[in-house]
């Protein structure tokens, strides 16, 4: 208590604190609105106005969104698409990153910059060919169509990050293993991967939110309602319950729960992932 | 181990990732250039028509609306969230009661799917039952609140506000990391020498944050050019294309109107705009490389 009083001795700090509290409140308004809306009925909101004491609190909207709105189908789909994509990207990018971080060879720079440049492309420049390719491979309207694309595209970012991280591993460890007769694949598996685990955890957390939240590729590479991830499903839900906002908002809240939980529990990794690339 | 065997090893590690990257990312990029020179509806074989898509595009009113909207978006994005994010980072850089709560609050929009944010904000913008107009009307500011998503003059700004709400936390994270790497003794020395807060900020902190600022700006530009989800969910570019952006325009021409050659031409323009910023970023990375 004493330290807090000490802290606010300067009027400058009080001002800063008031600004922070007001901004934080402003930032939370959409979430609070969402929560309140999802627990009320639309009729009641329209009759009494949004700012009124709720007459009844109901969980019916969540149930409607889950059952009739199809979220019970969409939400598992999101996991079926996201988890394999993350495993595949992390696996492949750690292979590529090891080669780029630890070997001198003529094409090293070219390959590295291709990965870095590719990760910043606007999606639209890939949209039509990838759509055509997916169709050609018979993967249109399958989970694999999305999994392959996410895996491939995220290779750019993951390879970039992991390669920079692997560069910081002391060379002596690797040399020692080589002298002991360890194969290169053995060094990658037994030395590099364990030492890069913190970076892998951070990047994988970030990738989870990115891939899980993808909307554009989901609507381009699937049309079958049974395969849609939750983002595309919510757009469908919006069309189905055009005016029943509490149901739409309840659906949106369910749809965002997984990434929100990941963020709450793995916040440290999430933030590390975001700053890995910028603060060298 | 023989010399040649040693030389081949990195390529063995790279062959699968690089192949996948070429097939799904690099080759498609070039193929889009070719498609932009064709007439294609997605089913037939693309038919070569030269630069006709581009001449048509440069006479298309919607193209210019979208382009200008993208530029407005970009202009706002490299200023407003950057300033807000930097300001918040400065405020939260010291130990402060409730620091964790504040940080989480500003980070949170980043992890929500844009679709989710778009839906919730779409409801807040609702002309009658929505929160914003309810507040405006009950506070007596206006008899009838504005049509946030139906008025052609404000719809784009209504969407950009959502994007700012989301972007600020990202900028803040990057600046907080940058601030952490500044040596506090440097700032103390300046204060001892009689510099005030303002002078320390402009004269020392901001220049030291330049590398972070470059990355923040590049990310902001790229994100503003990628803008699609919010527009698609909140307005689909309407009313009367007033909130259309290139990414959304491209999607609608390609997948709703089945003019895929035309869509490819829009994608190429979008790519060319991004190119200079991608190049700037690559140049930055290259400079870091030289330090090794």
């Amino acid at each position: 208590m004493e330290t807090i009083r000490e802290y606010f001795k300067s009027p400058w700090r009080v001002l800063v604190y008031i600004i922070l509290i007001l901004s934080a409140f402003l930032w939370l308004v959409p979430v609070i609105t969402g929560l309140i809306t999802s627990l009320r009925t639309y009729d009641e909101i329209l009759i009494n106005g949004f700012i009124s004491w709720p007459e009844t609190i109901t969980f019916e909207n969540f149930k409607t969104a889950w059952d009739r709105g199809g979220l019970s189908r969409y939400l598992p789909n999101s996991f079926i698409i996201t988890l394999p994509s993350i495993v595949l990207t992390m696996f492949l990018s750690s292979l590529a990153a090891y080669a780029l971080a630890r070997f001198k060879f003529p094409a090293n720079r070219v390959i590295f910059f291709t990965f870095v440049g590719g990760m910043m492309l606007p999606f639209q420049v890939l949209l039509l060919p990838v759509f055509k390719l997916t169709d050609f491979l018979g993967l249109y309207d399958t989970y694999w169509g999305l999994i392959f694309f996410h895996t491939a595209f995220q290779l750019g970012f993951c390879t970039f990050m992991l390669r920079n991280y692997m560069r910081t591993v002391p060379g002596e460890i690797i040399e020692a293993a080589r002298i002991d007769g360890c194969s290169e694949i053995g060094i990658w598996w037994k030395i590099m991967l364990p030492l890069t685990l913190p970076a892998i955890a951070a990047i994988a957390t970030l990738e989870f939110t990115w891939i899980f939240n993808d909307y554009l590729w989901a609507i381009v590479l699937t049309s079958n309602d049974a395969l849609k991830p939750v983002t595309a499903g919510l757009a469908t839900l919006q069309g189905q319950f055009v005016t029943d906002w509490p149901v739409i908002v309840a659906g949106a809240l369910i749809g965002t729960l997984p990434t929100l939980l990941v963020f709450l529990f793995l916040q440290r990794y999430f933030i590390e992932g975001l700053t890995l690339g910028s603060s060298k | 181990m023989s010399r040649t065997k040693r030389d081949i090893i990195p390529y063995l590690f790279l062959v699968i990732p690089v192949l996948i990257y070429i097939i799904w990312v690099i080759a498609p990029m070039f193929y889009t250039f070719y498609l932009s020179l064709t007439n294609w509806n997605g089913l037939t074989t693309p038919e070569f028509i030269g630069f006709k898509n581009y001449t048509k595009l440069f006479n298309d009113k919607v193209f210019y609306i979208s382009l200008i909207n993208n530029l407005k978006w970009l202009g706002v994005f490299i200023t407003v969230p950057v300033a807000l994010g930097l300001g918040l980072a400065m405020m939260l850089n010291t130990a402060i009661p409730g620091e964790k709560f504040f940080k989480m609050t500003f980070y949170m929009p980043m992890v929500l799917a844009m679709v989710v944010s778009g839906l919730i904000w779409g409801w807040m913008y609702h002309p009658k039952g929505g929160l914003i107009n309810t507040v405006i009307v009950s506070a007596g500011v206006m008899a009838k609140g504005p049509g946030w998503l139906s008025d052609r003059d404000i719809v784009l700004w209504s969407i950009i506000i959502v994007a700012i709400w989301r972007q600020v936390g990202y900028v803040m994270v990057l600046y907080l990391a940058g601030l952490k790497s500044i040596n506090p003794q440097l700032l103390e020395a300046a204060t001892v020498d009689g510099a005030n807060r303002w002078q320390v900020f402009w004269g020392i902190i901001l220049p030291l944050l330049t590398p972070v600022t470059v990355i923040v700006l590049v990310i902001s530009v790229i994100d503003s050019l990628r803008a699609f989800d919010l527009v698609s969910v909140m307005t689909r570019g309407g009313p009367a294309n007033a909130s259309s952006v290139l990414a959304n325009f491209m999607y609608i021409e390609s997948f709703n109107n089945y003019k895929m050659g035309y869509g490819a031409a829009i994608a190429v323009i979008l790519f060319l705009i991004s190119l200079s910023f991608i190049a700037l970023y690559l140049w930055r990375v290259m400079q870091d490389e030289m330090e090794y």
Side-chain angles (χ1 to χ4, degrees):
Chain A
M1 208 53 220
E2 201 43 52
T3 49
I4 289 179
R5 201 166 297 152
E6 193 66 29
Y7 184 86
F8 286 115
K9 260 195 178 150
S10 128
W12 170 257
R13 281 186 174 159
V14 175
L15 178 72
V16 163
Y17 212 73
I18 292 172
I19 295 176
L20 275 176
I21 288 180
L22 288 177
S23 334
F25 175 71
L26 216 59
W27 244 249
L28 287 174
V29 163
V31 182
I32 300 168
T33 309
L35 280 174
I36 296 175
T37 306
S38 65
L39 297 172
R40 302 175 70 175
T41 67
Y42 194 49
D43 290 338
E44 195 225 324
I45 293 177
L46 280 190
I47 293 164
N48 297 342
F50 187 81
I51 303 176
S52 60
W53 195 251
E55 281 167 24
T56 48
I57 284 192
T58 167
F59 290 95
E60 208 52 37
N61 299 316
F62 288 98
K63 215 174 152 285
T64 312
W66 183 256
D67 293 333
R68 280 204 294 133
L71 260 91
S72 56
R73 225 173 25 249
Y74 303 138
L75 206 58
N77 285 342
S78 285
F79 284 99
I80 295 173
I81 292 159
T82 306
L83 296 178
S85 305
I86 293 175
V87 173
L88 279 172
T89 327
M90 296 321 294
F91 170 69
L92 293 171
S93 62
S94 66
L95 283 176
Y98 176 55
L100 292 173
R102 286 299 171 178
F103 290 87
K104 276 205 176 82
F105 55 100
N108 191 317
R109 281 284 159 86
V110 178
I111 296 176
F112 177 62
F113 281 105
T114 307
F115 275 124
V116 180
M119 78 184 194
M120 308 183 74
L121 289 174
F123 287 133
Q124 270 61 26
V125 81
L126 309 177
L127 217 49
L128 295 167
V130 170
F131 167 70
K132 204 175 177 212
L133 173 71
T134 306
D135 190 40
F136 172 76
L137 295 173
L139 297 176
Y140 182 77
D141 251 342
T142 66
Y143 295 127
W144 284 104
L146 280 166
I147 292 171
F148 273 122
F149 174 75
H150 287 311
T151 301
F153 188 80
Q154 298 304 337
L155 272 178
F157 177 77
C158 298
T159 305
F160 176 42
M161 293 293 150
L162 284 177
R163 176 259 191 200
N164 286 347
Y165 195 88
M166 285 182 181
R167 280 203 147 191
T168 61
V169 172
E172 295 83 41
I173 305 178
I174 296 164
E175 273 318 309
R178 250 177 223 152
I179 290 164
D180 284 349
C182 193
S183 67
E184 288 301 326
I185 203 84
I187 293 176
W188 169 77
W189 176 250
K190 285 190 213 135
I191 298 173
M192 262 317 178
L193 278 191
L195 286 175
T196 354
L197 220 51
I200 291 179
I203 298 167
T205 309
L206 198 58
E207 288 292 342
F208 179 84
T209 63
W210 286 351
I211 299 174
F212 198 93
N213 287 344
D214 160 69
Y215 169 64
L216 177 61
W217 292 97
I219 58 173
V220 168
L221 298 183
T222 58
S223 60
N224 184 349
D225 198 61
L227 298 171
K228 276 180 191 165
V230 76
T231 44
L234 283 173
T236 312
L237 183 89
Q238 186 193 15
Q240 189 187 349
F241 292 88
V242 210
T243 55
D244 200 344
W245 281 99
V247 173
I248 297 172
V249 169
L253 290 180
I254 298 176
T256 204
L257 203 60
T259 49
L260 209 56
L261 287 176
V262 162
F263 169 66
L264 287 179
F265 289 105
L266 301 175
Q267 193 187 158
R268 193 167 65 87
Y269 293 118
F270 182 81
I271 301 304
E272 269 170 27
L274 281 180
T275 50
L276 261 182
S278 68
S279 57
K280 281 195 293 174
Chain B
M1 202 186 296
S2 70
R3 188 77 215 136
T4 41
K5 202 179 161 202
R6 185 91 181 71
D7 284 342
I8 235 171
I9 285 171
Y11 295 102
L12 293 179
F13 275 97
L14 281 163
V15 62
I16 297 171
V18 167
L19 260 179
I20 291 180
Y21 204 62
I22 289 175
I23 295 173
W24 264 274
V25 180
I26 303 302
M29 182 181 83
F30 289 107
Y31 194 60
T32 298
F33 280 84
Y34 168 71
L35 283 178
S36 75
L37 304 173
T38 66
N39 182 12
W40 184 41
N41 64 10
L43 295 170
T44 56
T45 6
E47 170 206 356
F48 189 82
I49 54 164
F51 286 93
K52 270 189 193 154
N53 284 325
Y54 290 95
T55 45
K56 206 174 119 202
L57 191 61
F58 293 135
N59 287 307
D60 191 333
K61 234 178 71 193
V62 186
F63 169 65
Y64 290 102
I65 297 175
S66 312
L67 182 65
I68 288 167
N69 281 348
N70 263 120
L71 294 179
K72 285 179 185 166
W73 195 306
L74 196 154
V76 173
F77 244 47
I78 56 173
T79 48
V80 180
V82 178
L84 290 176
L86 177 59
L88 286 171
M90 291 296 297
M91 290 193 256
L92 289 169
N93 189 38
T94 47
I96 192 167
E99 179 194 341
K100 262 202 173 143
F101 162 77
F102 287 123
K103 283 185 180 167
M104 281 223 299
T105 303
F106 296 116
Y107 295 161
M108 179 263 313
M110 244 191 306
V111 300
L112 305 187
M114 295 232 221
V115 174
V116 169
S117 307
L119 288 175
I120 294 179
W121 277 85
W123 161 234
M124 297 211 308
Y125 282 137
H126 191 272
K128 239 185 115 242
L131 171 75
I132 297 177
N133 278 358
T134 309
V135 171
I136 288 178
V137 171
S138 54
V141 183
M142 282 186 234
K144 188 174 156 282
W148 297 101
L149 297 179
S150 55
D151 184 329
R152 292 161 69 161
D153 295 328
I154 50 177
V155 58
L156 181 73
W157 305 110
S158 306
I159 300 174
I160 292 179
I161 286 176
V162 188
I164 294 174
W165 175 71
R166 183 190 153 81
Q167 191 78 359
V168 167
Y170 194 0
V171 176
M172 185 178 114
V173 171
L174 296 179
Y175 273 123
L176 273 173
L179 284 170
K180 233 185 247 165
S181 64
I182 293 179
N183 184 354
Q185 283 172 343
L186 212 62
L187 306 181
E188 260 169 53
T191 320
V192 172
D193 286 345
N196 64 30
R197 277 172 205 283
W198 212 234
Q199 285 166 328
V200 170
F201 176 74
W202 288 105
I204 301 175
I205 297 180
L206 206 55
L208 283 174
L209 287 175
T210 309
V212 184
T213 305
V214 172
I215 289 188
V216 166
L217 291 180
V218 172
I219 288 174
S220 303
V221 170
I222 298 289
D223 282 351
S224 68
L225 294 173
R226 276 189 180 165
F228 171 80
D229 296 17
L230 291 177
V231 173
S232 173
V233 168
M234 294 172 80
T235 62
R236 284 175 204 280
N241 299 309
S243 63
S244 178
V245 288
L246 288 174
N248 186 66
F249 179 41
M250 184 270 172
Y251 176 83
I252 288 178
E253 288 297 338
S254 306
F255 292 98
N256 293 353
N257 302 340
Y258 301 106
K259 292 195 275 183
M260 298 205 171
Y262 196 51
I266 303 168
V268 168
I269 301 288
L270 198 55
F271 170 75
L272 292 178
I273 301 173
S274 333
L275 194 61
S276 46
F277 298 97
I278 297 178
L280 176 71
Y281 187 77
L282 287 181
W283 176 75
R284 269 273 310 149
V285 174
M286 190 105 77
Q287 282 199 317
D288 282 348
E289 289 301 299
M290 296 309 167
E291 285 169 20
Y292 280 102

